[in-house]
Amino acid sequence: MSTGPGADSVPAPTTHDTPTAHDSPTAPEPRATEPPATPGLSPQAPAARPARKSSMFSSLKVRNYRLFFLGQVVSNIGTWMQRIAQDWLVLSLTGSSTAVGVTTALQFLPMLLFGLYGGVLVDRLRKRPTLLVTQAAMALTAIALALLTLSGHVQVWHVYLAAITVGLATVVDNPARQSFVSELVGTGQLQNAVSLNSANFQSARLVGPAVAGLMITGVGTGYAFLANGLSFVAPIAGLLLMRARDLHVVERAPRAKGQLREGLHYVAGRPDLIWTIVLVGFIGTFGFNFPVYLSAFADDVFHAGAGSYSLFNTLMAIGSLAGALLAARRGTTRMRVLIAAAVAFGTMELVAATAPSLWLFALLMAPIGMFGMTVNVTANTSIQMTTDPAMRGRVMALYMMVFLGGSPVGAPIAGWVTDAYGVRVGMAVGGAIAAAAAVTIGLVLARVGNLRLTVGWNGGHPRVAFVPREREELAAAA
């Protein structure tokens, strides 16, 4: 996010990499040399460094991040396998789609209730030992569910309990993983690393469900749970093999009263953070209800069945993967990229809602996925890069709580609009809200940063930019 003039054309302010130190329990905790981000969007703040492109896979040159990335490749595939197997098992045990929805809700409920407290804990704790505990907890949960299923003793309440347990572990695991990336690569490679993490997740989204389908059909759901449990060996081994002396140490928050309130006040005093989180909240709540929209388009509009639903999801995942890799190619984060991608995402949803044919609708899934992933990666990276390291766990917990918590709120609303007025109206309303929120928040941030929107031509191409008002006044005076 910008802290000065030229928010549209300069990267988010970056901080200097911290010196590395050994991450042992007996070593003194060094203070980070990384200065806190400048709060707000003050036009007097110094300009950020010029934008530069990086290699698409440059962060993989860092040994610790390479171990982290490879471990997540295996673990993410296992996670997607368990998601498919878990839903199928609940449906087999109960015959109820409502029970499947309850399972999903139970897995996300802990993040909604305790997400901010998880961020407080993450700011106090060292990230690597914390991740070892959370990853081990999720592995044991998957193995326990596998043993119950393979022995024939599994009941639906066992699955509910497993979902809650994974959700509780995620409360700490999610902000810890998000903030640990900056310790692995430093701020110079943060944009690239966050983008590759998203590409990693989207790749697993393509592979995991397919493998789960084959495994469930061939040997049963129990082995899918077992495979997920064993997949955690990879990230745990990666964490153990990391060189602690190569980590970029950041300051941990000391234990004190009022830290949750302190984190909320910190975000409230930073317009660049609060409005970015609000934007992600609007898009996550109203724009990302694709399970509702895509299934209805497949069955009710095009009457094409489950095959077309799978095709829609696959094409969207391909677009998301492309968006993540393109974000990895960019070396910096720009405010105008976030706003433009959000507007494009909502607009493409509006266009898709009016698509007259199945194939045109399917082809639009790829750009929707690409722009949606660009919003996610750009918002995630800019928040991490401009947040005080001692606050990063709490801020990322709030970000993830808003992003993940939007679906349980927005999905019923999207479902009601779809049932009452049709899926075309439902998807169009979601896209319109996302685009309108992006335009509104872009104008708010421009006003806070004392910028003005200009539209013109540059080299025969249209150019939309935010220009500092002071620069315009000086030019007029000259």
Side-chain angles (χ1 to χ4, degrees), residues 59-71:
S59 56
L60 290 177
K61 297 176 183 178
V62 180
R63 180 181 182 275
N64 282 348
Y65 178 74
R66 190 164 60 247
L67 290 170
F68 179 82
F69 181 87
L70 293 174

Side-chain angles (χ1 to χ4, degrees), residues 392-403:
R392 192 169 285 151
R394 278 165 283 183
V395 174
M396 291 310 299
L398 178 62
Y399 170 83
M400 295 307 300
M401 187 178 73
V402 170
F403 183 69

Side-chain angles (χ1 to χ4, degrees), residues 136-147:
M138 289 188 280
L140 292 174
T141 301
I143 291 173
L145 192 56
L147 294 177

Side-chain angles (χ1 to χ4, degrees), residues 14 84 108 145 192 217 294 322 400 418 449 452 466:
T14 57
I84 301 300
F108 285 103
L145 192 56
N192 183 263
T217 303
L294 301 189
M400 295 307 300
T418 297
R452 192 180 76 82
F466 287 103

Side-chain angles (χ1 to χ4, degrees), residues 18 42 47 57 85 127 145 157 172 322 338 376 390 421 451:
T18 59
S42 169
F57 303 101
K127 308 301 184 294
L145 192 56
W157 71 267
V172 177
L338 174 62
N376 186 11
Y421 302 102
L451 307 173

Side-chain angles (χ1 to χ4, degrees), residues 293-294 297 301-302 345-365 368 422-432:
Y293 300 144
L294 301 189
F297 264 98
V301 177
F302 300 122
F345 172 79
T347 303
M348 293 304 295
E349 275 203 57
L350 277 167
V351 174
T354 63
S357 67
L358 183 149
W359 288 109
L360 178 58
F361 182 84
L363 290 175
L364 288 171
M365 292 302 101
I368 287 175
V423 65
R424 289 190 185 276
V425 174
M427 189 170 185
V429 169

Side-chain angles (χ1 to χ4, degrees), residues 301-315:
V301 177
F302 300 122
H303 308 288
S308 62
Y309 178 63
S310 176
L311 174 65
F312 298 156
N313 279 282
T314 299
L315 290 173

